[in-house]
Amino acid sequence: MYFTGTKRSILWALPSFMLGAALLGGFAPASQAAGKRVVRVMQQNMDAGTDLGYIFTATDPASLLKAMAMTYREVVASNIPQRAALLAGEIAVQRPDLIALQEATLWRTGPLGQPPATTVLYDQLQLLLTELENRGLHYAPVAVNSLLDAEAPTPLGFDLRITDRDALLARTGLPPSEFALSNIQTGIYQAEFVLGNPVLGAIPVPRGWMTVDVQVGAATFRFANTHLESPPAPTDIQVAQASELVGILGGTTLPVMLLGDFNANADPGLDHFPTTDLIVAAGFVDTWHALRPFEPGLTWPLHGEDPYTPVSKPNQRMDLIFLRGLGAARIRRIGWPTQGIWPSDHTGVAASVPMPE
């Protein structure tokens, strides 16, 4: 498996008119409720279509080739374009002002054994943006964090390349005087899982974060998006990443909205790691628990992968919205199946947050 060595943390290459809007403002109005401005936010892991389990368990070159073919077929079977359309439909209903995305994956193919592969197979982020435009909804990427970027040959006559990405989207359309973004930052956690494999060698699996300051009228807050490490990596790596994140967000006196796939169950039971307790101890409020303390709010898994299995029951609440210095008025899970297809293997979570006057 090859690693491209591309820069991991980037501001996505927007058309110039979009980039200017992203940096200077030009985003959609927060809604009004009971005389207060309300910002709607949404958390969603898009699901890359595979957990790469076939690949990571390969033990020799022959099993790696077989694993690559199985992974390719699994990704295709996961209905990425159809799922992007379903997710756009959810966004059309919720009309969030800001969206935190994880696994906004870029899949590419290329000539066998001649990296880097550059022919786009699926660009999950662009597919979503196109589907939103088709519905008359206008969103722009504020930042995109490129993470794991790896490529390997398949027995199907081509290389297959994955680029894992997190993204932050904002709805466009209003003058900067009413809804403006600034101080965009992205980064990679120092705590990093390195997967050892007998045929692939040592594979670093970077995870990252991104923040942007959001001004809504007279109010300003910091919006953050992250995707923390998941099992089977040692739990202490995820906890160390959460500790880094708390330190990063501790550097501002602004109110903070922190959204993400934390890969840790926020409730007691299966996979309840110290991660979420650490975040709460830093002054953040788990919004679901605050507003719906007697409802489980489970978000994962909606289906299995490696192999892809369409139907499952969620047993963990790992897609979370934390607030510090703000209080939400409403929170809900979204993203249930339509015509037998799930938008993702995670539910989304949407919240409405009134701005202080």
Side-chain angles (χ1 to χ4, degrees):
M1 183 168 280
Y2 322 108
F3 297 88
T4 66
T6 54
K7 187 178 180 183
R8 291 172 177 172
S9 179
I10 63 170
L11 182 64
W12 206 43
L14 297 172
S16 58
F17 73 91
M18 273 189 160
L19 182 57
L23 294 176
L24 299 176
F27 286 91
S31 53
Q32 301 277 345
K36 285 190 175 183
R37 291 174 177 264
V38 174
V39 174
R40 298 188 184 116
V41 298
M42 177 175 163
Q43 151 60 26
Q44 182 69 64
N45 180 310
M46 292 187 71
D47 178 21
T50 176
D51 286 336
L52 302 177
Y54 295 131
I55 296 172
F56 289 152
T57 55
T59 57
D60 55 42
S63 62
L64 175 60
L65 284 174
K66 181 179 179 181
M68 291 300 298
M70 294 171 71
T71 299
Y72 170 77
R73 292 178 179 125
E74 182 177 46
V75 169
V76 172
S78 75
N79 298 302
I80 285 175
Q82 296 92 325
R83 291 195 288 109
L86 291 176
L87 180 53
E90 289 284 359
I91 293 170
V93 173
Q94 303 300 328
R95 298 297 177 101
D97 300 296
L98 298 160
I99 307 173
L101 298 173
Q102 306 83 42
E103 294 187 32
T105 312
L106 175 59
W107 288 100
R108 287 174 281 190
T109 61
L112 190 64
Q114 299 180 42
T118 58
T119 301
V120 174
L121 177 66
Y122 300 117
D123 183 337
Q124 291 189 254
L125 182 55
Q126 187 56 56
L127 284 167
L128 176 60
L129 292 170
T130 299
E131 289 291 344
L132 290 169
E133 287 289 337
N134 291 342
R135 289 163 173 76
L137 303 173
H138 307 296
Y139 284 81
V142 176
V144 174
N145 222 357
S146 291
L147 305 166
L148 174 69
D149 193 347
E151 177 175 343
T154 75
L156 307 173
F158 54 83
D159 277 10
L160 180 64
R161 178 181 177 188
I162 179 175
T163 306
D164 179 32
R165 303 176 300 185
D166 298 337
L168 194 162
L169 304 185
R171 201 156 55 100
T172 62
L174 197 73
S177 59
E178 296 187 39
F179 198 93
L181 307 183
S182 62
N183 191 26
I184 300 163
Q185 300 183 54
T186 67
I188 302 295
Y189 293 116
Q190 293 182 7
E192 183 175 84
F193 178 46
V194 179
L195 177 68
N197 180 278
V199 65
L200 299 173
I203 305 173
V205 184
R207 300 285 187 176
W209 56 269
M210 58 185 64
T211 62
V212 62
D213 292 347
V214 184
Q215 182 176 350
V216 181
T220 303
F221 63 90
R222 183 158 293 175
F223 185 88
N225 174 25
T226 194
H227 190 189
L228 301 185
E229 191 52 75
S230 64
T235 304
D236 60 349
I237 294 176
Q238 181 190 100
V239 174
Q241 291 173 350
S243 181
E244 285 184 52
L245 180 61
V246 164
I248 291 163
L249 297 177
T252 181
T253 58
L254 293 174
V256 178
M257 298 187 192
L258 169 58
L259 285 69
D261 173 2
F262 291 82
N263 275 313
N265 187 1
D267 298 321
L270 182 66
D271 288 346
H272 176 70
F273 307 131
T275 307
T276 54
D277 297 331
L278 186 156
I279 294 169
V280 170
F284 288 88
V285 174
D286 178 348
T287 304
W288 184 276
H289 181 73
L291 294 181
R292 298 178 177 233
F294 304 110
E295 298 181 40
L298 305 174
T299 65
W300 181 89
L302 297 183
H303 61 72
E305 288 176 342
D306 309 328
Y308 179 83
T309 51
V311 179
S312 181
K313 281 188 175 181
N315 55 33
Q316 298 185 43
R317 185 168 66 86
M318 61 172 60
D319 298 86
L320 309 173
I321 297 177
F322 289 102
L323 300 178
R324 188 182 71 192
L326 295 165
R330 184 183 177 195
I331 190 168
R332 68 211 74 87
R333 290 178 300 164
I334 59 176
W336 302 105
T338 302
Q339 299 176 343
I341 300 176
W342 302 89
S344 172
D345 61 341
H346 294 245
T347 73
V349 183
S352 300
V353 183
M355 292 292 97
E357 296 178 346

